[in-house]
Amino acid sequence: MCNEFAETLVRRYGWIFVGITVQLITFTPLAAQIVLFHPWLSYDTERHYLLLVAPFHLSVLSIWINYILGCRTSPGHVPLDYTPVSGKPRWCKECSCYKPPRSHHCSICNKCVLKMDHHCPWLNNCIGQNNHAYFLRFIGSVTVASLYGSFLIALRIWEIVQYQNDLRAYYRGDWDTPLRFSPPLSGFQIVTMFIVIIIFFLLLLTVGILYVWQLFYLYDNTTTIENSENSTIESLKKRNIIPEDKVFPYDLGWYNNFQQMFGNYWFLWWLPFGSYGNGIDYPKRPGTEHYSWPPREYYLYKKYPYGKPSKQERKEEKRRRKDNHIRRGSEGYLVKQLTAEEREQLVTGKSNEIDDDQSEDASSTDYDSLEESEEFDTDEEVLQETQTRMGKKIK
């Protein structure tokens, strides 16, 4: 119930999450730069103003570029002409197509996404093959900007405290202590600093932790979904349900994994380029080319977590479901499955009261002789005999 509500909320009101994100990445850098950093750093002409603020501004620029690209770039969907080459391909009932390796169906987008990681409400887009690199750079830039902005604010507070201590020593007669003046904070600056500090702290607590987890996933070349699958597979290996020799085939080593995501040259990894590959064919580690992932035993466990039943048990379960099936009429009312005896009772009027205008005809009907008559093989014969006795057609 909660999952359905969350999916409906994200599907219908995803633009609200985007609006909140845009306001956050606009207000915070402007408030920090205009109200806090510029009046402080530009006061002392001996400071290297541009060198101090350059990392913060470059991080903010990277936030905007990668956020726009992450929102506007399609994560990658299954081509219409995709045909599996070998193995046992997976079939998507929702899209009515085969799913390539590492692809999954997104219930919010209602499409199969290539190398799907998750659906991000803050980008109002799925994170997949084509925009995963933009997403990683975006949350990485937010983490760097928050860390460096927090460093500058801490440096500002330290200078104010240091100036007050030096001034106190000077008034005590220690005239040899050098005084380095730091402009005091106004009331508006104090309020702004307090708000910015809270925002930076929350961003580091949420986006920063998410970025660290994403780097751990990238280290093993897994997505969020694959990491969850691999955790289940590892537990099944300990229970000897899956052979120990089956390992995750797409882990090529951390450096090759990063190259597959950001490109071949490490000094260009921070530039806004998309992920490499077509989203269908992925290189595998040696010795794992002959099997697909997840293993077949994993899907059998998901379908039969308590063990696969026998053929006879499956037949009995199918028969039981068929017997308990509830039909509905054209108006949506429940239709009860009746036996031949119950149908005869309904027709003859023994289980229901008969209208007053039909009571006389009903009383003249010889129901006792009908009950004492010979048994009929089919329900149709019961209906025909009843029609004959009652002298009217029953539909």
Side-chain angles (χ1 to χ4, degrees):
M1 187 66 180
C2 295
N3 292 335
E4 294 179 358
F5 174 76
E7 290 178 0
T8 303
L9 181 66
V10 174
R11 187 184 300 110
R12 294 184 179 180
Y13 305 104
W15 58 273
I16 296 180
F17 293 94
V18 174
I20 294 174
T21 306
V22 170
Q23 292 181 5
L24 192 63
I25 63 179
T26 302
F27 165 77
T28 307
L30 288 179
Q33 170 62 26
I34 296 175
V35 181
L36 300 178
F37 299 156
H38 180 72
W40 163 48
L41 296 176
S42 62
Y43 182 84
D44 189 353
T45 57
E46 296 181 358
R47 292 182 182 274
H48 299 286
Y49 174 75
L50 294 179
L51 292 179
L52 285 174
V53 298
F56 182 75
H57 286 257
L58 290 177
S59 299
V60 173
L61 180 63
S62 178
I63 289 174
W64 272 102
I65 293 176
N66 288 283
Y67 182 74
I68 294 175
L69 291 175
C71 292
R72 302 291 298 176
T73 303
S74 172
H77 303 294
V78 180
L80 297 177
D81 57 348
Y82 171 73
T83 303
V85 178
S86 60
K88 295 182 178 180
R90 298 173 299 158
W91 178 261
C92 180
K93 297 180 180 179
E94 301 293 334
C95 299
S96 298
C97 67
Y98 287 107
K99 294 193 293 186
R102 312 186 75 178
S103 62
H104 298 274
H105 184 84
C106 177
S107 58
I108 299 177
C109 299
N110 198 24
K111 293 181 180 179
C112 285
V113 178
L114 300 176
K115 196 185 176 184
M116 178 180 175
D117 188 86
H118 69 285
H119 187 95
C120 181
W122 306 107
L123 275 70
N124 195 26
N125 197 3
C126 260
I127 306 302
Q129 167 65 28
N130 297 337
N131 61 352
H132 199 174
Y134 301 136
F135 173 75
L136 287 176
R137 294 191 188 95
F138 165 66
I139 60 177
S141 301
V142 170
T143 304
V144 172
S146 300
L147 281 173
Y148 193 77
S150 301
F151 165 75
L152 290 179
I153 292 177
L155 183 61
R156 173 77 165 115
I157 296 175
W158 181 83
E159 286 192 358
I160 293 176
V161 174
Q162 188 68 24
Y163 173 71
Q164 295 297 326
N165 293 334
D166 293 344
L167 191 63
R168 192 177 297 107
Y170 181 81
Y171 287 145
R172 289 197 304 263
D174 189 3
W175 295 343
D176 296 334
T177 302
L179 292 176
R180 187 177 184 86
F181 179 75
S182 180
L185 292 172
S186 63
F188 179 70
Q189 287 178 326
I190 293 176
V191 174
T192 303
M193 178 182 292
F194 182 74
I195 295 174
V196 171
I197 289 175
I198 293 178
I199 294 176
F200 282 159
F201 174 76
L202 293 177
L203 289 176
L204 289 174
L205 190 63
T206 56
V207 180
I209 294 177
L210 175 62
Y211 181 59
V212 172
W213 277 112
Q214 287 288 325
L215 290 181
F216 279 133
Y217 295 158
L218 182 57
Y219 185 88
D220 296 328
N221 200 14
T222 62
T223 62
T224 303
I225 298 176
E226 290 173 342
N227 182 76
S228 177
E229 293 176 344
N230 291 348
S231 299
T232 305
I233 291 173
E234 289 299 324
S235 64
L236 294 179
K237 286 182 179 180
K238 296 179 181 179
R239 297 164 55 184
N240 296 325
I241 297 177
I242 296 179
E244 288 287 344
D245 57 349
K246 287 190 175 182
V247 295
F248 186 66
Y250 304 110
D251 185 6
L252 308 177
W254 75 268
Y255 187 74
N256 292 327
N257 296 338
F258 275 76
Q259 284 183 324
Q260 191 176 351
M261 177 65 69
F262 298 120
N264 296 327
Y265 304 104
W266 62 268
F267 50 87
L268 300 178
W269 285 355
W270 204 253
L271 297 181
F273 296 124
S275 303
Y276 289 78
N278 56 9
I280 297 178
D281 301 317
Y282 295 94
K284 293 184 177 182
R285 60 196 302 178
T288 61
E289 299 85 356
H290 60 282
Y291 59 82
S292 59
W293 195 266
R296 180 174 177 270
E297 295 85 354
Y298 170 78
Y299 293 107
L300 289 176
Y301 173 79
K302 289 184 62 178
K303 188 174 182 180
Y304 307 111
Y306 301 105
K308 186 176 180 180
S310 62
K311 187 176 181 180
Q312 182 64 26
E313 292 175 341
R314 293 197 299 269
K315 285 184 178 180
E316 292 178 357
E317 177 67 17
K318 187 176 181 181
R319 188 182 301 109
R320 185 185 63 81
R321 292 181 179 178
K322 184 177 180 181
D323 295 338
N324 294 336
H325 179 68
I326 298 178
R327 297 188 299 111
R328 291 184 179 270
S330 59
E331 297 181 358
Y333 297 103
L334 294 178
V335 179
K336 182 181 179 181
Q337 299 286 353
L338 301 178
T339 62
E341 291 77 7
E342 291 174 338
R343 293 177 185 174
E344 182 180 354
Q345 291 177 1
L346 290 175
V347 170
T348 57
K350 281 193 173 183
S351 61
N352 295 324
E353 296 183 358
I354 305 176
D355 297 337
D356 294 339
D357 56 353
Q358 296 179 352
S359 59
E360 184 177 355
D361 295 335
S363 61
S364 62
T365 305
D366 189 3
Y367 293 107
D368 295 336
S369 62
L370 180 62
E371 292 178 352
E372 295 175 357
S373 62
E374 58 181 356
E375 296 181 355
F376 299 99
D377 295 333
T378 61
D379 296 342
E380 289 76 5
E381 295 179 2
V382 174
L383 293 175
Q384 291 176 4
E385 181 64 17
T386 306
Q387 292 173 1
T388 304
R389 298 293 182 90
M390 297 184 65
K392 61 180 181 179
K393 185 178 180 181
I394 300 176
K395 294 184 179 180

